[in-house]
PDB file of all heavy atoms in Angstrom:
ATOM      1  N   TRP A 137      -7.574   6.073 -10.921  1.00  0.00           N
ATOM      2  CA  TRP A 137      -6.887   5.397  -9.793  1.00  0.00           C
ATOM      3  C   TRP A 137      -5.493   4.958 -10.243  1.00  0.00           C
ATOM      4  O   TRP A 137      -5.319   4.435 -11.362  1.00  0.00           O
ATOM      5  CB  TRP A 137      -7.695   4.257  -9.326  1.00  0.00           C
ATOM      6  CG  TRP A 137      -9.008   4.629  -8.720  1.00  0.00           C
ATOM      7  CD1 TRP A 137     -10.225   4.632  -9.269  1.00  0.00           C
ATOM      8  CD2 TRP A 137      -9.185   5.171  -7.385  1.00  0.00           C
ATOM      9  NE1 TRP A 137     -11.156   5.108  -8.403  1.00  0.00           N
ATOM     10  CE2 TRP A 137     -10.558   5.423  -7.229  1.00  0.00           C
ATOM     11  CE3 TRP A 137      -8.330   5.394  -6.327  1.00  0.00           C
ATOM     12  CZ2 TRP A 137     -11.110   5.928  -6.054  1.00  0.00           C
ATOM     13  CZ3 TRP A 137      -8.860   5.888  -5.161  1.00  0.00           C
ATOM     14  CH2 TRP A 137     -10.234   6.162  -5.038  1.00  0.00           C
ATOM     15  N   TRP A 200      -5.202  -1.767  -2.937  1.00  0.00           N
ATOM     16  CA  TRP A 200      -4.642  -0.449  -2.631  1.00  0.00           C
ATOM     17  C   TRP A 200      -4.559   0.369  -3.885  1.00  0.00           C
ATOM     18  O   TRP A 200      -4.074  -0.107  -4.902  1.00  0.00           O
ATOM     19  CB  TRP A 200      -3.220  -0.545  -2.036  1.00  0.00           C
ATOM     20  CG  TRP A 200      -3.198  -0.822  -0.568  1.00  0.00           C
ATOM     21  CD1 TRP A 200      -3.216  -2.038   0.057  1.00  0.00           C
ATOM     22  CD2 TRP A 200      -3.135   0.164   0.444  1.00  0.00           C
ATOM     23  NE1 TRP A 200      -3.195  -1.869   1.362  1.00  0.00           N
ATOM     24  CE2 TRP A 200      -3.083  -0.541   1.679  1.00  0.00           C
ATOM     25  CE3 TRP A 200      -3.066   1.515   0.459  1.00  0.00           C
ATOM     26  CZ2 TRP A 200      -2.995   0.133   2.877  1.00  0.00           C
ATOM     27  CZ3 TRP A 200      -2.970   2.183   1.657  1.00  0.00           C
ATOM     28  CH2 TRP A 200      -2.944   1.485   2.825  1.00  0.00           C
ATOM     29  N   ARG A 201      -5.030   1.608  -3.853  1.00  0.00           N
ATOM     30  CA  ARG A 201      -4.917   2.546  -4.973  1.00  0.00           C
ATOM     31  C   ARG A 201      -5.126   3.942  -4.440  1.00  0.00           C
ATOM     32  O   ARG A 201      -5.629   4.135  -3.349  1.00  0.00           O
ATOM     33  CB  ARG A 201      -5.932   2.194  -6.055  1.00  0.00           C
ATOM     34  CG  ARG A 201      -7.355   2.216  -5.536  1.00  0.00           C
ATOM     35  CD  ARG A 201      -8.290   1.564  -6.510  1.00  0.00           C
ATOM     36  NE  ARG A 201      -9.653   1.741  -6.007  1.00  0.00           N
ATOM     37  CZ  ARG A 201     -10.731   1.699  -6.706  1.00  0.00           C
ATOM     38  NH1 ARG A 201     -10.647   1.503  -8.018  1.00  0.00           N
ATOM     39  NH2 ARG A 201     -11.936   1.904  -6.180  1.00  0.00           N
ATOM     40  N   TYR A 202      -4.679   4.894  -5.230  1.00  0.00           N
ATOM     41  CA  TYR A 202      -4.908   6.287  -4.851  1.00  0.00           C
ATOM     42  C   TYR A 202      -5.184   7.122  -6.100  1.00  0.00           C
ATOM     43  O   TYR A 202      -4.862   6.696  -7.213  1.00  0.00           O
ATOM     44  CB  TYR A 202      -3.707   6.895  -4.078  1.00  0.00           C
ATOM     45  CG  TYR A 202      -2.402   7.005  -4.849  1.00  0.00           C
ATOM     46  CD1 TYR A 202      -2.091   8.233  -5.401  1.00  0.00           C
ATOM     47  CD2 TYR A 202      -1.612   5.924  -5.046  1.00  0.00           C
ATOM     48  CE1 TYR A 202      -0.875   8.349  -6.140  1.00  0.00           C
ATOM     49  CE2 TYR A 202      -0.405   5.992  -5.775  1.00  0.00           C
ATOM     50  CZ  TYR A 202      -0.092   7.239  -6.321  1.00  0.00           C
ATOM     51  OH  TYR A 202       1.093   7.381  -7.028  1.00  0.00           O
ATOM     52  N   ALA A 203      -5.765   8.289  -5.847  1.00  0.00           N
ATOM     53  CA  ALA A 203      -6.094   9.198  -6.983  1.00  0.00           C
ATOM     54  C   ALA A 203      -5.985  10.618  -6.537  1.00  0.00           C
ATOM     55  O   ALA A 203      -6.367  10.939  -5.389  1.00  0.00           O
ATOM     56  CB  ALA A 203      -7.540   8.916  -7.482  1.00  0.00           C
ATOM     57  N   ARG A 205      -7.109  14.362  -7.035  1.00  0.00           N
ATOM     58  CA  ARG A 205      -8.154  15.136  -7.665  1.00  0.00           C
ATOM     59  C   ARG A 205      -7.837  16.625  -7.459  1.00  0.00           C
ATOM     60  O   ARG A 205      -6.839  16.942  -6.908  1.00  0.00           O
ATOM     61  CB  ARG A 205      -9.544  14.816  -7.009  1.00  0.00           C
ATOM     62  CG  ARG A 205      -9.993  13.357  -7.238  1.00  0.00           C
ATOM     63  CD  ARG A 205     -11.393  13.140  -6.941  1.00  0.00           C
ATOM     64  NE  ARG A 205     -11.729  13.498  -5.597  1.00  0.00           N
ATOM     65  CZ  ARG A 205     -12.942  13.347  -5.072  1.00  0.00           C
ATOM     66  NH1 ARG A 205     -13.907  12.785  -5.750  1.00  0.00           N
ATOM     67  NH2 ARG A 205     -13.219  13.766  -3.817  1.00  0.00           N
ATOM     68  N   ASP A 208      -8.576  17.276  -3.446  1.00  0.00           N
ATOM     69  CA  ASP A 208      -8.275  16.294  -2.416  1.00  0.00           C
ATOM     70  C   ASP A 208      -7.550  15.039  -3.009  1.00  0.00           C
ATOM     71  O   ASP A 208      -7.455  14.893  -4.235  1.00  0.00           O
ATOM     72  CB  ASP A 208      -9.493  15.813  -1.652  1.00  0.00           C
ATOM     73  CG  ASP A 208     -10.614  15.387  -2.566  1.00  0.00           C
ATOM     74  OD1 ASP A 208     -10.334  14.893  -3.641  1.00  0.00           O
ATOM     75  OD2 ASP A 208     -11.779  15.609  -2.194  1.00  0.00           O
ATOM     76  N   LEU A 209      -7.022  14.244  -2.167  1.00  0.00           N
ATOM     77  CA  LEU A 209      -6.377  12.990  -2.459  1.00  0.00           C
ATOM     78  C   LEU A 209      -7.256  11.835  -1.944  1.00  0.00           C
ATOM     79  O   LEU A 209      -7.683  11.871  -0.809  1.00  0.00           O
ATOM     80  CB  LEU A 209      -5.022  12.939  -1.812  1.00  0.00           C
ATOM     81  CG  LEU A 209      -4.203  11.594  -2.048  1.00  0.00           C
ATOM     82  CD1 LEU A 209      -3.716  11.565  -3.492  1.00  0.00           C
ATOM     83  CD2 LEU A 209      -3.083  11.534  -1.086  1.00  0.00           C
ATOM     84  N   LEU A 210      -7.525  10.870  -2.819  1.00  0.00           N
ATOM     85  CA  LEU A 210      -8.313   9.707  -2.429  1.00  0.00           C
ATOM     86  C   LEU A 210      -7.383   8.515  -2.240  1.00  0.00           C
ATOM     87  O   LEU A 210      -6.509   8.314  -3.060  1.00  0.00           O
ATOM     88  CB  LEU A 210      -9.331   9.375  -3.532  1.00  0.00           C
ATOM     89  CG  LEU A 210     -10.372  10.395  -3.871  1.00  0.00           C
ATOM     90  CD1 LEU A 210     -11.239   9.845  -5.066  1.00  0.00           C
ATOM     91  CD2 LEU A 210     -11.279  10.676  -2.710  1.00  0.00           C
ATOM     92  N   ILE A 211      -7.579   7.757  -1.188  1.00  0.00           N
ATOM     93  CA  ILE A 211      -6.868   6.565  -0.911  1.00  0.00           C
ATOM     94  C   ILE A 211      -7.888   5.456  -0.656  1.00  0.00           C
ATOM     95  O   ILE A 211      -8.720   5.599   0.214  1.00  0.00           O
ATOM     96  CB  ILE A 211      -5.878   6.656   0.265  1.00  0.00           C
ATOM     97  CG1 ILE A 211      -4.924   7.764   0.041  1.00  0.00           C
ATOM     98  CG2 ILE A 211      -5.144   5.343   0.494  1.00  0.00           C
ATOM     99  CD1 ILE A 211      -4.042   8.155   1.227  1.00  0.00           C
ATOM    100  N   SER A 212      -7.811   4.348  -1.409  1.00  0.00           N
ATOM    101  CA  SER A 212      -8.778   3.263  -1.282  1.00  0.00           C
ATOM    102  C   SER A 212      -8.045   1.985  -1.011  1.00  0.00           C
ATOM    103  O   SER A 212      -6.978   1.738  -1.643  1.00  0.00           O
ATOM    104  CB  SER A 212      -9.586   3.147  -2.533  1.00  0.00           C
ATOM    105  OG  SER A 212     -10.531   2.145  -2.492  1.00  0.00           O
ATOM    106  N   ARG A 213      -8.573   1.195  -0.167  1.00  0.00           N
ATOM    107  CA  ARG A 213      -7.939  -0.123   0.162  1.00  0.00           C
ATOM    108  C   ARG A 213      -8.993  -1.062   0.835  1.00  0.00           C
ATOM    109  O   ARG A 213     -10.056  -0.573   1.264  1.00  0.00           O
ATOM    110  CB  ARG A 213      -6.763   0.012   1.120  1.00  0.00           C
ATOM    111  CG  ARG A 213      -7.129   0.558   2.497  1.00  0.00           C
ATOM    112  CD  ARG A 213      -5.870   0.729   3.352  1.00  0.00           C
ATOM    113  NE  ARG A 213      -6.253   1.185   4.663  1.00  0.00           N
ATOM    114  CZ  ARG A 213      -6.403   2.424   5.048  1.00  0.00           C
ATOM    115  NH1 ARG A 213      -6.253   3.387   4.159  1.00  0.00           N
ATOM    116  NH2 ARG A 213      -6.648   2.751   6.278  1.00  0.00           N
ATOM    117  N   ARG A 218     -14.065  -2.430   2.409  1.00  0.00           N
ATOM    118  CA  ARG A 218     -13.504  -1.380   1.561  1.00  0.00           C
ATOM    119  C   ARG A 218     -13.400  -0.099   2.382  1.00  0.00           C
ATOM    120  O   ARG A 218     -14.406   0.294   2.966  1.00  0.00           O
ATOM    121  CB  ARG A 218     -14.403  -1.216   0.371  1.00  0.00           C
ATOM    122  CG  ARG A 218     -13.701  -0.559  -0.765  1.00  0.00           C
ATOM    123  CD  ARG A 218     -13.273  -1.620  -1.783  1.00  0.00           C
ATOM    124  NE  ARG A 218     -12.452  -0.896  -2.727  1.00  0.00           N
ATOM    125  CZ  ARG A 218     -11.221  -1.185  -2.922  1.00  0.00           C
ATOM    126  NH1 ARG A 218     -10.662  -2.208  -2.389  1.00  0.00           N
ATOM    127  NH2 ARG A 218     -10.497  -0.475  -3.738  1.00  0.00           N
ATOM    128  N   GLU A 219     -12.281   0.548   2.362  1.00  0.00           N
ATOM    129  CA  GLU A 219     -12.098   1.797   3.082  1.00  0.00           C
ATOM    130  C   GLU A 219     -11.578   2.836   2.088  1.00  0.00           C
ATOM    131  O   GLU A 219     -10.575   2.611   1.406  1.00  0.00           O
ATOM    132  CB  GLU A 219     -11.105   1.639   4.219  1.00  0.00           C
ATOM    133  CG  GLU A 219     -10.920   2.850   5.061  1.00  0.00           C
ATOM    134  CD  GLU A 219      -9.959   2.624   6.210  1.00  0.00           C
ATOM    135  OE1 GLU A 219      -9.957   1.518   6.784  1.00  0.00           O
ATOM    136  OE2 GLU A 219      -9.265   3.581   6.577  1.00  0.00           O
ATOM    137  N   GLU A 220     -12.227   3.984   1.989  1.00  0.00           N
ATOM    138  CA  GLU A 220     -11.825   5.039   1.132  1.00  0.00           C
ATOM    139  C   GLU A 220     -11.591   6.272   1.964  1.00  0.00           C
ATOM    140  O   GLU A 220     -12.530   6.731   2.644  1.00  0.00           O
ATOM    141  CB  GLU A 220     -12.848   5.273   0.022  1.00  0.00           C
ATOM    142  CG  GLU A 220     -12.272   6.219  -1.047  1.00  0.00           C
ATOM    143  CD  GLU A 220     -13.147   6.197  -2.290  1.00  0.00           C
ATOM    144  OE1 GLU A 220     -13.240   5.202  -2.921  1.00  0.00           O
ATOM    145  OE2 GLU A 220     -13.736   7.284  -2.585  1.00  0.00           O
ATOM    146  N   THR A 221     -10.394   6.824   1.934  1.00  0.00           N
ATOM    147  CA  THR A 221     -10.051   7.955   2.702  1.00  0.00           C
ATOM    148  C   THR A 221      -9.910   9.170   1.778  1.00  0.00           C
ATOM    149  O   THR A 221      -9.264   9.079   0.748  1.00  0.00           O
ATOM    150  CB  THR A 221      -8.731   7.787   3.452  1.00  0.00           C
ATOM    151  OG1 THR A 221      -8.807   6.597   4.271  1.00  0.00           O
ATOM    152  CG2 THR A 221      -8.363   8.924   4.323  1.00  0.00           C
ATOM    153  N   VAL A 222     -10.532  10.266   2.130  1.00  0.00           N
ATOM    154  CA  VAL A 222     -10.451  11.519   1.347  1.00  0.00           C
ATOM    155  C   VAL A 222      -9.736  12.514   2.195  1.00  0.00           C
ATOM    156  O   VAL A 222     -10.086  12.808   3.308  1.00  0.00           O
ATOM    157  CB  VAL A 222     -11.849  12.072   1.035  1.00  0.00           C
ATOM    158  CG1 VAL A 222     -11.723  13.337   0.231  1.00  0.00           C
ATOM    159  CG2 VAL A 222     -12.694  11.024   0.242  1.00  0.00           C
ATOM    160  N   VAL A 223      -8.579  12.982   1.702  1.00  0.00           N
ATOM    161  CA  VAL A 223      -7.730  13.923   2.449  1.00  0.00           C
ATOM    162  C   VAL A 223      -7.723  15.220   1.636  1.00  0.00           C
ATOM    163  O   VAL A 223      -7.056  15.357   0.573  1.00  0.00           O
ATOM    164  CB  VAL A 223      -6.329  13.403   2.641  1.00  0.00           C
ATOM    165  CG1 VAL A 223      -5.528  14.379   3.481  1.00  0.00           C
ATOM    166  CG2 VAL A 223      -6.327  12.010   3.262  1.00  0.00           C
ATOM    167  N   PRO A 224      -8.435  16.259   2.095  1.00  0.00           N
ATOM    168  CA  PRO A 224      -8.398  17.555   1.421  1.00  0.00           C
ATOM    169  C   PRO A 224      -7.003  18.204   1.520  1.00  0.00           C
ATOM    170  O   PRO A 224      -6.364  18.154   2.534  1.00  0.00           O
ATOM    171  CB  PRO A 224      -9.405  18.438   2.223  1.00  0.00           C
ATOM    172  CG  PRO A 224     -10.236  17.470   3.007  1.00  0.00           C
ATOM    173  CD  PRO A 224      -9.347  16.281   3.274  1.00  0.00           C
ATOM    174  N   LEU A 249       0.610  10.966   5.322  1.00  0.00           N
ATOM    175  CA  LEU A 249      -0.103  12.258   5.345  1.00  0.00           C
ATOM    176  C   LEU A 249      -0.632  12.485   6.741  1.00  0.00           C
ATOM    177  O   LEU A 249      -1.320  11.655   7.294  1.00  0.00           O
ATOM    178  CB  LEU A 249      -1.250  12.242   4.355  1.00  0.00           C
ATOM    179  CG  LEU A 249      -0.926  11.806   2.948  1.00  0.00           C
ATOM    180  CD1 LEU A 249      -2.188  11.472   2.214  1.00  0.00           C
ATOM    181  CD2 LEU A 249      -0.130  12.828   2.217  1.00  0.00           C
ATOM    182  N   THR A 251      -2.890  15.154   9.145  1.00  0.00           N
ATOM    183  CA  THR A 251      -3.858  16.259   9.153  1.00  0.00           C
ATOM    184  C   THR A 251      -4.094  16.682  10.601  1.00  0.00           C
ATOM    185  O   THR A 251      -3.652  16.021  11.553  1.00  0.00           O
ATOM    186  CB  THR A 251      -5.172  15.871   8.477  1.00  0.00           C
ATOM    187  OG1 THR A 251      -5.740  14.800   9.236  1.00  0.00           O
ATOM    188  CG2 THR A 251      -4.926  15.396   6.994  1.00  0.00           C
ATOM    189  N   ALA A 253      -6.929  16.368  12.133  1.00  0.00           N
ATOM    190  CA  ALA A 253      -7.687  15.262  12.745  1.00  0.00           C
ATOM    191  C   ALA A 253      -6.960  13.973  12.590  1.00  0.00           C
ATOM    192  O   ALA A 253      -6.657  13.550  11.437  1.00  0.00           O
ATOM    193  CB  ALA A 253      -9.104  15.187  12.064  1.00  0.00           C
ATOM    194  N   ALA A 254      -6.576  13.344  13.674  1.00  0.00           N
ATOM    195  CA  ALA A 254      -5.771  12.113  13.595  1.00  0.00           C
ATOM    196  C   ALA A 254      -6.497  11.007  12.865  1.00  0.00           C
ATOM    197  O   ALA A 254      -5.901  10.098  12.318  1.00  0.00           O
ATOM    198  CB  ALA A 254      -5.423  11.654  15.015  1.00  0.00           C
ATOM    199  N   ALA A 255      -7.804  11.028  12.829  1.00  0.00           N
ATOM    200  CA  ALA A 255      -8.578   9.972  12.158  1.00  0.00           C
ATOM    201  C   ALA A 255      -8.405  10.018  10.666  1.00  0.00           C
ATOM    202  O   ALA A 255      -8.643   9.015  10.010  1.00  0.00           O
ATOM    203  CB  ALA A 255     -10.055  10.113  12.526  1.00  0.00           C
ATOM    204  N   THR A 256      -7.979  11.149  10.103  1.00  0.00           N
ATOM    205  CA  THR A 256      -7.855  11.212   8.657  1.00  0.00           C
ATOM    206  C   THR A 256      -6.390  11.098   8.230  1.00  0.00           C
ATOM    207  O   THR A 256      -6.104  11.236   7.057  1.00  0.00           O
ATOM    208  CB  THR A 256      -8.432  12.525   8.102  1.00  0.00           C
ATOM    209  OG1 THR A 256      -7.795  13.624   8.761  1.00  0.00           O
ATOM    210  CG2 THR A 256      -9.917  12.593   8.281  1.00  0.00           C
ATOM    211  N   ASP A 257      -5.491  10.822   9.137  1.00  0.00           N
ATOM    212  CA  ASP A 257      -4.117  10.525   8.725  1.00  0.00           C
ATOM    213  C   ASP A 257      -4.157   9.311   7.791  1.00  0.00           C
ATOM    214  O   ASP A 257      -4.876   8.369   7.997  1.00  0.00           O
ATOM    215  CB  ASP A 257      -3.202  10.265   9.931  1.00  0.00           C
ATOM    216  CG  ASP A 257      -2.889  11.530  10.692  1.00  0.00           C
ATOM    217  OD1 ASP A 257      -3.319  12.616  10.298  1.00  0.00           O
ATOM    218  OD2 ASP A 257      -2.181  11.394  11.699  1.00  0.00           O
ATOM    219  N   ALA A 258      -3.329   9.348   6.773  1.00  0.00           N
ATOM    220  CA  ALA A 258      -3.372   8.299   5.785  1.00  0.00           C
ATOM    221  C   ALA A 258      -1.934   7.954   5.295  1.00  0.00           C
ATOM    222  O   ALA A 258      -1.041   8.797   5.414  1.00  0.00           O
ATOM    223  CB  ALA A 258      -4.211   8.703   4.567  1.00  0.00           C
ATOM    224  N   THR A 259      -1.769   6.759   4.829  1.00  0.00           N
ATOM    225  CA  THR A 259      -0.486   6.263   4.340  1.00  0.00           C
ATOM    226  C   THR A 259      -0.675   5.651   2.980  1.00  0.00           C
ATOM    227  O   THR A 259      -1.651   4.946   2.735  1.00  0.00           O
ATOM    228  CB  THR A 259       0.111   5.246   5.294  1.00  0.00           C
ATOM    229  OG1 THR A 259       0.297   5.819   6.542  1.00  0.00           O
ATOM    230  CG2 THR A 259       1.479   4.763   4.841  1.00  0.00           C
ATOM    231  N   ILE A 260       0.279   5.856   2.055  1.00  0.00           N
ATOM    232  CA  ILE A 260       0.332   5.150   0.804  1.00  0.00           C
ATOM    233  C   ILE A 260       1.621   4.343   0.847  1.00  0.00           C
ATOM    234  O   ILE A 260       2.689   4.955   0.676  1.00  0.00           O
ATOM    235  CB  ILE A 260       0.285   6.101  -0.410  1.00  0.00           C
ATOM    236  CG1 ILE A 260      -0.944   7.022  -0.342  1.00  0.00           C
ATOM    237  CG2 ILE A 260       0.283   5.304  -1.680  1.00  0.00           C
ATOM    238  CD1 ILE A 260      -0.978   8.076  -1.433  1.00  0.00           C
TER     239      ILE A 260
END
Side-chain angles (χ1 to χ4, degrees):
W137 294 101
W200 277 88
R201 58 194 185 156
Y202 67 98
R205 296 195 305 183
D208 51 31
L209 178 74
L210 300 175
I211 302 171
S212 180
R213 66 180 181 275
R218 200 100 189 119
E219 183 177 328
E220 191 167 295
T221 305
V222 179
V223 184
L249 309 164
T251 63
T256 58
D257 286 359
T259 302
I260 305 173

